Amino acid sequence: MAQLEVTGIETAYGMSTVLFGLSLEVGEGQVVGLLGRNGVGKTTTFRSIMGLTPPRTGSIRWNGTEITGKPPHEINRLGIGFVPEDRRIFPELTVWENLDIAMRAGRRASTWTLDKVYELFPDLVGLRDRKGGYLSGGQQQMLTIARSLMGNPELLLLDEPSEGLAPLVVRDLRHQIARMRDEGLSILLAEQNLGFVLALSDRVYILEKGEVKFSGRSDEVRDNPEIIKRYLTV
Amino acid sequence: MLNNPTILFVQFMNGLSFGLTLFIIAAGLTLILGVLRVLNFAHGAFFMIGGYVTFSLVNWLPASFPGAFWLSVIGAAIVLGAMAWVIERTMLRRLYDRDHLPQLLFTFALVLLAEDLVKVAWGTSVLSVSFPPGFKKAVDLGISYYPSYRLFLCVIGTVIAVALWYVVNRTRMGRLVRAATQDREMLESLGINVGRIYMMVFVAGVALAGLGGGLAAPATSLTVGMDAEIIVQCFIIVIIGGMGSLPGAFLGALILGQLNAFGVMLVPAFELVLIYLMMVAVLMFRPWGLLGHKEVQ
Ligand SMILES: Nc1ncnc2c1ncn2[C@@H]1O[C@H](COP(=O)(O)OP(=O)(O)OP(=O)(O)O)[C@@H](O)[C@H]1O
Ligand SMILES: [Mg+2]
């Protein structure tokens, strides 16, 4: 049994259906990539899992328990953290306050504390008392990941973390995500940056128009220009 | 008149105690507006019921009972908080995701219900609550004597302002409340039951209105229409200060208190005009209020 099992979900915004029977799995401690061009439904998949835009049909099981229909805060407390693509820092709260409100003890042996989160993102230490709204894009991205870690999730949904960041910052971020993986965190990683995903993930799913069009090991994609051309190049 | 320092001082003190009492009520209104995004028309009605409940409790407790008045005021705050809890859990929470119009209609319906409730339960004649023991006299402030209960209102209004500032800015609950005003969905995704925060803010805000009603009762008289005047004044305070801003409500209440006191003295019967002019002037230069933020969505 995989840690997260999404089976045949259909999700709509009002009248327009966006996901058409999407299925995917994430195993414990795995990094799984979610690839696809703009608008294929990556963010919607995350919103469905988090309960922010619950699916109309299909099932989402977390450690074997059905979680569809539960409110987002309960889903988070069960161990799923969400890092949205637009970052959503609380702009009027300081960096420390942003971290503090998300703090919750986890059920795993290795837990993220404020010190450990600062150690992974040392840039945040000096910014502790600055308001979130005054951070740069890269700093906001660090803070939004750090904030999710404070809730000690077992699975992290990372939505396009490298988007809009300078190459050096992206490199740091890749190391940081690798460290999180090494700490035993499962990660579902949506990205447009193919190299970034392939460097981190064990498996990938490629979406098109709200459906999974390809799933397989990361090296299968790396060695297959046909797939890359068909589903990923713009 | 204007060159008589004693009169000026007394008017200033009247403005201060009136303003600081209004702050207690407006603080609840602005909190509910800032966090729940609901403009609570019924806030004045909750203030009124707070006064009437205090009246009943004071008369129900034996006169010799120590601290009868203070217990009654706290009792009024608790009764109003409980009312708010029932209203929020059974009705208001269903309206958060709706437009402003159903919310306005709902809180307006509460106003009508509250006024009828007061008529049925307490009648239409004017009632009054006497000053608590120890606060019946005036104290010497050097320049002039001043009623000790009004002085007490200044102190309690300030204490409540400082306490609210502390809770909002220095406690985890306050951090959660501020985060809830900024991004409800994100806060939910971080494992916080935002619905419960909304409920607590509504209960606290309405309890403050009830507390204000109880505290104001000895300094005013209880009538069925007293809610209308208060809600207008609180709206003005919240608009001048900036919607959802507690420091703004504090500043707005102080300004309104002084305008009211000196307006009565300088342009009797037109003091309301003065207050409206002030509001227009503020809105012309800072449409989002003195200490409010421009909404960026
Ligand atoms: N709130 C919304 N209301 C209506 N339609 C929406 C909404 N959000 C997204 N959509 C539509 O749903 C589809 C999938 O969007 P989604 O954001 O899930 O894609 P994505 O893969 O995350 O894209 P991107 O790479 O641009 O982030 C798009 O066609 C988009 O226009
Ligand atoms: Mg997206």
Side-chain angles (χ1 to χ4, degrees):
Chain A
M1 172 189 75
Q3 196 177 34
L4 178 75
E5 292 173 328
V6 176
T7 319
I9 56 165
E10 281 182 22
T11 305
Y13 295 102
M15 299 291 282
S16 71
T17 303
V18 172
L19 300 184
F20 299 90
L22 180 138
S23 302
L24 59 79
E25 287 188 357
V26 181
E28 199 171 334
Q30 283 184 342
V31 178
V32 175
L34 198 58
L35 294 162
R37 296 192 181 96
N38 280 320
V40 294
K42 301 184 293 293
T43 299
T44 308
T45 304
F46 285 173
R47 293 183 60 86
S48 305
I49 296 169
M50 266 333 273
L52 294 166
T53 311
R56 297 223 165 133
T57 58
S59 119
I60 301 174
R61 290 174 156 266
W62 171 247
N63 292 325
T65 328
E66 187 67 47
I67 56 166
T68 15
K70 285 194 193 295
H73 70 269
E74 284 181 23
I75 292 175
N76 174 273
R77 285 175 189 205
L78 290 171
I80 305 181
F82 178 39
V83 177
E85 61 188 324
D86 41 5
R87 287 156 200 171
R88 313 271 288 264
I89 292 303
F90 299 107
E92 297 290 326
L93 265 55
T94 66
V95 166
W96 176 79
E97 287 176 328
N98 266 281
L99 294 173
D100 176 73
I101 56 170
M103 184 166 55
R104 173 167 298 107
R107 288 170 300 179
R108 291 183 309 136
S110 111
T111 54
W112 293 93
T113 58
L114 190 63
D115 286 341
K116 203 166 148 192
V117 165
Y118 276 149
E119 191 203 315
L120 183 60
F121 298 103
D123 291 355
L124 295 180
V125 178
L127 301 166
R128 216 179 296 157
D129 298 320
R130 188 168 303 180
K131 283 195 176 171
Y134 295 113
L135 300 183
S136 73
Q139 293 164 342
Q140 288 199 359
Q141 187 62 68
M142 303 297 156
L143 177 55
T144 187
I145 296 175
R147 187 178 62 180
S148 286
L149 290 179
M150 292 296 290
N152 278 292
E154 290 162 45
L155 166 72
L156 206 56
L157 309 176
L158 276 175
D159 199 355
E160 307 213 21
S162 81
E163 194 190 8
L165 300 185
L168 276 180
V169 182
V170 172
R171 200 195 58 191
D172 285 349
L173 188 64
R174 205 174 61 214
H175 294 315
Q176 281 148 342
I177 295 176
R179 271 250 344 245
M180 285 151 47
R181 175 193 61 197
D182 297 343
E183 294 272 347
L185 202 62
S186 320
I187 297 172
L188 187 55
L189 176 62
E191 267 295 340
Q192 305 262 0
N193 182 338
L194 184 65
F196 190 85
V197 177
L198 294 183
L200 287 163
S201 60
D202 312 297
R203 286 187 299 116
V204 297
Y205 292 91
I206 301 180
L207 309 188
E208 196 177 61
K209 292 194 185 135
E211 286 179 275
V212 173
K213 283 292 159 68
F214 172 88
S215 77
R217 291 198 319 276
S218 300
D219 49 9
E220 292 175 55
V221 178
R222 194 182 295 119
D223 305 332
N224 195 335
E226 188 63 21
I227 290 179
I228 297 179
K229 193 162 161 232
R230 190 135 144 234
Y231 297 118
L232 301 173
T233 34
V234 204
Chain B
M1 223 166 25
L2 274 176
N3 48 27
N4 181 334
T6 308
I7 292 181
L8 286 182
F9 176 74
V10 168
Q11 284 307 80
F12 170 78
M13 287 305 294
N14 283 343
L16 198 62
S17 86
F18 180 57
L20 286 167
T21 310
L22 278 179
F23 167 75
I24 300 172
I25 305 140
L29 183 68
T30 208
L31 263 178
I32 291 169
L33 182 61
V35 180
L36 282 64
R37 308 276 156 144
V38 172
L39 188 56
N40 181 21
F41 261 112
H43 212 66
F46 292 136
F47 161 84
M48 170 175 70
I49 296 176
Y52 277 98
V53 170
T54 303
F55 170 86
S56 289
L57 289 176
V58 164
N59 287 301
W60 176 72
L61 286 170
S64 58
F65 202 87
F69 171 77
W70 308 109
L71 285 176
S72 303
V73 171
I74 292 166
I78 293 172
V79 168
L80 269 289
M83 266 177 66
W85 183 75
V86 172
I87 291 169
E88 205 275 346
R89 288 288 97 166
T90 57
M91 293 174 274
L92 185 61
R93 65 184 320 190
R94 296 164 204 273
L95 297 176
Y96 294 143
D97 295 331
R98 304 281 292 275
D99 293 337
H100 289 303
L101 189 62
Q103 297 173 355
L104 284 182
L105 288 175
F106 173 70
T107 61
F108 192 65
L110 289 179
V111 174
L112 301 178
L113 281 171
E115 288 181 350
D116 280 348
L117 171 80
V118 168
K119 279 183 206 156
V120 170
W122 289 280
T124 48
S125 49
V126 176
L127 305 176
S128 65
V129 174
S130 51
F131 290 112
F135 287 93
K136 296 188 195 298
K137 299 213 183 71
V139 284
D140 188 359
L141 291 181
I143 304 175
S144 132
Y145 276 85
Y146 197 72
S148 59
Y149 190 76
R150 283 180 178 273
L151 207 58
F152 164 77
L153 287 177
C154 295
V155 174
I156 191 79
T158 311
V159 167
I160 287 174
V162 171
L164 280 175
W165 179 88
Y166 183 83
V167 170
V168 168
N169 291 293
R170 289 286 179 270
T171 66
R172 186 177 153 91
M173 184 64 209
R175 291 190 275 283
L176 291 174
V177 165
R178 280 183 290 143
T181 63
Q182 294 168 39
D183 192 338
R184 172 176 186 168
E185 196 182 83
M186 191 63 232
L187 196 58
E188 282 271 336
S189 305
L190 291 170
I192 307 300
N193 185 348
V194 179
R196 227 177 67 212
I197 293 182
Y198 276 32
M199 184 271 284
M200 288 193 269
V201 167
F202 189 68
V203 167
V206 172
L208 277 173
L211 186 74
L215 288 171
T220 176
S221 45
L222 303 175
T223 64
V224 177
M226 68 190 289
D227 57 323
E229 201 180 332
I230 277 286
I231 192 67
V232 170
Q233 283 161 335
C234 286
F235 276 159
I236 293 172
I237 287 172
V238 168
I239 290 167
I240 294 179
M243 301 204 189
S245 161
L246 273 176
F250 189 71
L251 187 62
L254 291 182
I255 292 173
L256 191 122
Q258 293 306 331
L259 275 181
N260 194 71
F262 285 96
V264 167
M265 192 170 104
L266 299 174
V267 282
F270 288 102
E271 75 270 10
L272 261 183
V273 177
L274 207 65
I275 288 165
Y276 285 125
L277 283 178
M278 167 74 194
M279 185 169 81
V280 170
V282 166
L283 289 184
M284 268 164 62
F285 295 103
R286 285 187 68 90
W288 49 93
L290 291 174
L291 299 181
H293 294 285
K294 212 177 349 190
E295 285 271 316
V296 272
Q297 288 285 341

